[in-house]
Amino acid sequence: MTAKEILNELKPLGKESYKRVLSNNHGVKEPFFGVPVSELKKIQKRIKKDYQLALDLYDTGNYDAMYLAGLIADDARMTKADLQRWADKADGGALSGATVPWVAAGSPHGREMALKWIESEKGQVAAAGWATLVSLVSITDDAQLDLAELKRLMQRVQRTIHQAPDAVRPKMNGFLIAVGSYVKPLTDFAIQIGEEIGPVTADLGDNDCQIPSAPDYIRKVQKRGAVGKKRKSAKC
């Protein structure tokens, strides 16, 4: 199928009520139809993976198509240029916090791009960088992680999170939670850093979203006996 054919399929699946939520509460910008994720996943199930179609869908600039692109992307084939282009265009909704990080983490370039993106002055790109690090620690065996680097990054979060842009703070906090939850050797350190940081606040738009306490969240994972249990895939 072509991107144009997919757009024609998506249009009647849009729901005005969902579109209003995405626009008013989550900053999604036109063009988009407001297609529920459940409908996008039905198309994903049919297409499975398609590298070129994913690129074409993302390049349409239609939010629904861009989200679907992340679901069907062949992560292993994504180049650094592909990922950079996606990060630069990830403006609004779940693109910078989910779509781009999921695909980047599944590519051979996830760590490199994440470390590059967190240096960006563009809020959505920096947010994508931290979210990519979240995905990476959730799917990568501890033996393959650079624990010293993760400690340095957590210390960076401690120093800078309260001065970071609103869009970036939740992702930095999420990184702390992810390391504490998925990387067992660093759980206590993550809790310690979180305690020193204290409450984290940010303007998250007109919605009920709140930034959770990292230490409290990690302790709940500990209580469930789930610390260190990795995900099979970053995508969900």
Side-chain angles (χ1 to χ4, degrees):
M1 297 186 72
T2 66
K4 185 176 180 180
E5 289 171 332
I6 294 291
L7 283 175
N8 289 336
E9 182 176 352
L10 291 175
K11 188 172 182 179
L13 298 176
K15 297 186 180 298
E16 280 301 321
S17 58
Y18 185 52
K19 186 172 182 178
R20 284 194 297 272
V21 170
L22 289 175
S23 177
N24 297 337
N25 305 123
H26 299 286
V28 176
K29 300 173 184 177
E30 294 284 0
F32 70 108
F33 306 125
V35 181
V37 173
S38 59
E39 294 293 338
L40 297 176
K41 287 192 172 184
K42 291 177 184 177
I43 300 174
Q44 174 198 15
K45 188 175 182 180
R46 187 179 75 231
I47 297 175
K48 296 183 173 58
K49 291 182 181 181
D50 191 318
Y51 169 71
Q52 189 57 53
L53 180 57
L55 296 183
D56 293 342
L57 285 171
Y58 203 90
D59 284 344
T60 66
N62 177 288
Y63 176 80
D64 307 293
M66 295 169 83
Y67 192 99
L68 176 60
L71 295 178
I72 68 168
D74 188 345
D75 304 344
R77 292 185 60 188
M78 294 290 283
T79 67
K80 295 177 188 178
D82 293 333
L83 294 169
Q84 187 63 55
R85 187 170 64 254
W86 280 32
D88 288 337
K89 293 183 177 181
D91 186 16
L95 298 179
S96 65
T99 299
V100 172
W102 290 346
V103 175
S107 79
H109 317 294
R111 174 182 168 276
E112 179 181 350
M113 300 309 292
L115 295 177
K116 175 184 177 181
W117 291 339
I118 63 174
E119 304 297 339
S120 176
E121 294 184 1
K122 297 179 180 178
Q124 80 272 14
V125 175
W130 288 104
T132 299
L133 292 170
V134 168
S135 291
L136 284 170
V137 299
S138 75
I139 62 174
T140 307
D141 288 342
D142 290 351
Q144 296 178 304
L145 293 170
D146 185 335
L147 300 188
E149 179 177 76
L150 293 176
K151 288 185 74 171
R152 290 194 298 272
L153 287 167
M154 285 193 287
Q155 290 167 332
R156 172 175 172 167
V157 170
Q158 179 187 1
R159 293 193 307 271
T160 64
I161 189 168
H162 292 301
Q163 293 78 44
D166 287 320
V168 182
R169 280 179 231 166
K171 307 310 177 190
M172 297 176 82
N173 190 70
F175 168 72
L176 197 62
I177 289 173
V179 174
S181 300
Y182 291 109
V183 187
K184 200 168 186 177
L186 296 180
T187 296
D188 290 341
F189 189 74
I191 291 174
Q192 176 189 332
I193 292 290
E195 296 284 11
E196 293 173 0
I197 288 172
V200 179
T201 60
D203 182 358
L204 303 179
D206 185 15
N207 55 57
D208 296 327
C209 296
Q210 296 181 336
I211 300 177
S213 161
D216 290 350
Y217 193 105
I218 297 168
R219 289 189 182 105
K220 288 178 182 178
V221 176
Q222 283 182 314
K223 186 173 289 188
R224 296 200 310 268
V227 169
K229 293 185 178 179
K230 303 287 184 173
R231 298 170 57 91
K232 292 182 180 179
S233 170
K235 297 183 184 182
C236 61

